[in-house]
Amino acid sequence: MEIINIDHVLERGVKMSDQKKKNLSPVQQKYQKFASDREVKRPVLKNCLKAFLVGGLICTLGQGVQTFYYTFFDFTEKSAGDPAVATMIFFSVILTGFGVYDRFAQFAGAGTAVPVTGFANSVASAAIEHRTEGYVLGVGGNMFKLAGSVIVFGTVAAFIIALIKTILIQWGGL
Amino acid sequence: MLAGHRTWEFENQPVVSSTGTVGGPFEAKGRIPNDFDTLHDDLWVGQESYEKAEKVMFEEACMKSIEKAGLTKEDIQLILAGNLVNQITPTSFAARSFPVPYFGLFGACSTSMEGMALAAYIVNTGGFKYVLTGSSSHNSSIEKQFRYPTEYGAQKPPTAQWTATAAGTALVTDTGVGPRVTSATLGRVIDMGLSDPYNMGGAMAPAAVDTIEAHFRDRQIDPSYYDLIVTGDLGKIGQTIAYDLLTDHGMNITKDQFRDCGLIIYREDQPVLSGASGSGCSAAVTYGHLFNRMKEGEFNRILVVATGALLSPLSYQQKESIPCIAHAVSFENN
């Protein structure tokens, strides 16, 4: 490792910004290798397992809520989905407000992020965070800071998929 | 005065005659609660925003330094300080309540030693007699700006660091009792091409190594001269990298002698992943914990190397790598 001889890294830095290229100098490459050998990696397998278990648990809970609605109230199995989702969102927002959802999330990762509760958490946390900047520019303007891109690309994806489906039905004779 | 290429040796040896440190609730549960002058059990510090809370904490740290030195606000001749919030508003807003000249600094987490180096230089050359310097950070105001909303459930990798809620100030004077500021080595911007904002330690380690090596080269001394060489804040991973790099380069440095502010402030069982960070961390740990140990005589000569990652949320989203800097200041007992 040679870091003392930093001058040609600096030169390289100038060139990098000129060309806007991510070409790394040999010194930089050598350092990155050196550093990544000492980095603690994300425990991917363990995280996947935890995400599977917690995510599954949240979905089971959601299913329980849905069953509850069509067993005890005037809902069909299909129409009970809406109030069940609303209930899960409500729980998530409450837990976010009490400041505990993010602690579960550090443990569960994708397990708490992927279900609808994660979406609710992203909206509620941004709304809480920007309360200090007022209701209009703060809460209103920032509420969808994280969820906005999910909505945008979710809609775009839905549009494209619907288009493909229509084409296949119309001309594919499905 | 100038030693080597980028080290100032202060022949008049300015004194850190008093310090002030303020911490938040999470720091109160940490490893060094007794080294804080004031600890708050409310993250909001009774304010309506985290930015205001940080401002109040910095004001309190300033007042502590001034009171402990037996001075008043009016006696201070210059304030040199900064923090991590956009346009360093908490520091500038705090400076509003001091009727004295002020320079706002930005060196990310290296601000503490950037300020100390400049303060010592000014006092050493007789520019001013009483210069107050310091830095602050607030976990929630920084998370909000650099990462996600505090309550958002994003899983952080093991390389991530926890921004400390702390403020530390030091009063540098030409005479008095306290640790002497003997030299300062100024850092240069080093970019090793790393771009992961959740691995600042890895990005900053080369800057720390560069400045440490320059310091010993310029002063022509051996690392054994110091009882302690403290970085702030590389965290577990960055500190290991820096240590291995230094030994790789043949520097005669021991593990006991090489510490990190980001690993001193919290206990092992606190969920801070790789360790602490934030411009208030190195300021509070140095001016609180380390100076107290110097007063007790546990250490007599220390070198503090504050490291800063000079990125912004925008630069990270635009896929820029993270330029880093480190400034070193040495403190010695008489």
Side-chain angles (χ1 to χ4, degrees):
Chain A
M1 279 306 299
E2 184 63 60
I3 287 218
I4 301 173
N5 190 2
I6 207 88
D7 291 327
H8 68 268
V9 179
L10 298 177
E11 266 170 40
R12 190 79 194 192
V14 174
K15 275 185 209 152
M16 252 171 77
S17 57
D18 282 352
Q19 302 168 349
K20 291 211 166 176
K21 271 186 188 167
K22 282 276 165 192
N23 294 341
L24 294 172
S25 73
V27 178
Q28 286 177 318
Q29 283 174 8
K30 213 168 165 187
Y31 173 70
Q32 295 201 356
K33 167 88 177 61
F34 188 86
S36 88
D37 289 345
R38 283 154 186 81
E39 229 172 67
V40 179
K41 302 280 178 284
R42 273 179 191 265
V44 177
L45 212 68
K46 208 167 118 195
N47 283 353
C48 285
L49 194 72
K50 286 195 278 191
F52 176 76
L53 291 174
V54 178
L57 199 73
I58 292 173
C59 295
T60 315
L61 200 73
Q63 184 57 51
V65 173
Q66 192 174 350
T67 313
F68 169 81
Y69 278 121
Y70 69 71
T71 315
F72 296 100
F73 293 95
D74 191 18
F75 286 109
T76 65
E77 203 172 329
K78 207 176 172 189
S79 67
D82 294 340
V85 167
T87 309
M88 293 311 283
I89 289 173
F90 178 75
F91 284 147
S92 167
V93 171
I94 293 285
L95 289 175
T96 305
F98 283 127
V100 288
Y101 197 90
D102 59 324
R103 293 187 199 176
F104 292 142
Q106 180 58 33
F107 172 82
T112 45
V114 174
V116 72
T117 50
F119 189 77
N121 163 255
S122 75
V123 177
S125 63
I128 295 168
E129 189 87 347
H130 294 279
R131 170 67 192 88
T132 53
E133 291 103 270
Y135 281 114
V136 176
L137 294 176
V139 177
N142 290 292
M143 208 167 174
F144 292 97
K145 197 165 82 168
L146 298 163
S149 67
V150 180
I151 295 172
V152 169
F153 292 107
T155 312
V156 172
F159 177 74
I160 293 170
I161 299 294
L163 215 62
I164 294 171
K165 190 183 163 191
T166 311
I167 291 168
L168 286 178
I169 291 171
Q170 294 291 316
W171 294 299
L174 284 175
Chain B
M1 184 69 210
L2 179 71
H5 292 287
R6 47 184 168 125
T7 300
W8 288 328
E9 280 183 339
F10 303 119
E11 63 280 1
N12 298 326
Q13 304 208 333
V15 185
V16 180
S17 48
S18 67
T19 60
T21 49
V22 180
F26 195 63
E27 289 64 33
K29 291 183 200 144
R31 202 198 294 269
I32 52 163
N34 298 333
D35 291 319
F36 285 96
D37 293 315
T38 312
L39 284 165
H40 288 281
D41 53 10
D42 172 21
L43 200 57
W44 296 86
V45 198
Q47 303 299 308
E48 64 232 31
S49 77
Y50 293 128
E51 290 78 9
K52 278 188 186 168
E54 187 177 341
K55 183 206 85 166
V56 170
M57 286 175 66
F58 186 69
E59 265 173 2
E60 288 174 349
C62 288
M63 282 317 294
K64 273 280 168 211
S65 285
I66 296 168
E67 280 165 18
K68 279 203 233 164
L71 300 170
T72 60
K73 276 181 184 181
E74 288 74 20
D75 296 322
I76 304 304
Q77 293 171 305
L78 174 68
I79 295 175
L80 289 167
N83 70 90
L84 290 163
V85 173
N86 286 336
Q87 287 81 36
I88 60 168
T89 49
T91 312
S92 301
F93 287 17
R96 197 164 51 181
S97 52
F98 296 88
V100 300
Y102 157 73
F103 278 149
L105 308 175
F106 182 82
C109 306
S110 71
T111 307
S112 58
M113 289 307 123
E114 181 184 358
M116 180 52 82
L118 289 169
Y121 182 88
I122 291 167
V123 172
N124 186 60
T125 50
F128 284 122
K129 282 185 175 150
Y130 300 107
V131 180
L132 188 63
T133 181
S135 188
S136 64
S137 57
H138 191 295
N139 181 276
S140 304
S141 67
I142 298 313
E143 288 286 316
K144 175 180 182 176
Q145 180 180 314
F146 281 90
R147 300 191 178 103
Y148 295 118
T150 42
E151 298 305 332
Y152 177 59
Q155 194 177 38
K156 288 180 178 166
T159 47
Q161 286 171 261
W162 176 279
T163 309
T165 305
T169 58
L171 183 67
V172 184
T173 55
D174 59 343
T175 52
V177 187
R180 316 243 146 202
V181 192
T182 50
S183 70
T185 301
L186 311 187
R188 50 185 182 177
V189 178
I190 306 256
D191 189 338
M192 278 297 168
L194 272 80
S195 55
D196 180 5
Y198 284 110
N199 183 13
M200 301 280 214
M204 294 190 292
V209 169
D210 181 66
T211 301
I212 292 171
E213 287 177 339
H215 181 80
F216 290 115
R217 208 166 45 233
D218 286 351
R219 288 196 81 187
Q220 296 181 338
I221 51 173
D222 187 77
S224 60
Y225 180 82
Y226 292 109
D227 300 322
L228 216 58
I229 298 167
V230 194
T231 51
D233 318 290
L234 296 176
K236 265 181 225 157
I237 290 151
Q239 212 238 1
T240 311
I241 297 172
Y243 179 79
D244 289 352
L245 269 181
L246 286 168
T247 30
D248 237 43
H249 292 183
M251 189 145 295
N252 172 28
I253 190 168
T254 64
K255 268 216 159 106
D256 288 337
Q257 184 192 15
F258 195 50
R259 305 276 299 277
D260 184 65
C261 293
L263 298 175
I264 293 173
I265 190 165
Y266 297 123
R267 282 184 288 105
E268 285 281 320
D269 56 348
Q270 283 179 299
V272 296
L273 300 161
S274 188
S277 68
S279 48
C281 178
S282 57
V285 172
T286 306
Y287 302 149
H289 179 74
L290 295 176
F291 278 17
N292 286 346
R293 299 293 87 75
M294 280 183 87
K295 267 178 215 152
E296 289 162 9
E298 197 179 328
F299 310 121
N300 284 313
R301 292 163 173 172
I302 66 168
L303 179 70
V304 181
V305 188
T307 56
L310 306 171
L311 81 166
S312 82
L314 195 78
S315 74
Y316 151 64
Q317 284 170 356
Q318 292 175 344
K319 308 275 185 292
E320 294 268 1
S321 55
I322 305 173
C324 297
I325 196 160
H327 303 293
V329 178
S330 64
F331 302 96
E332 297 178 31
N333 275 341
N334 262 4

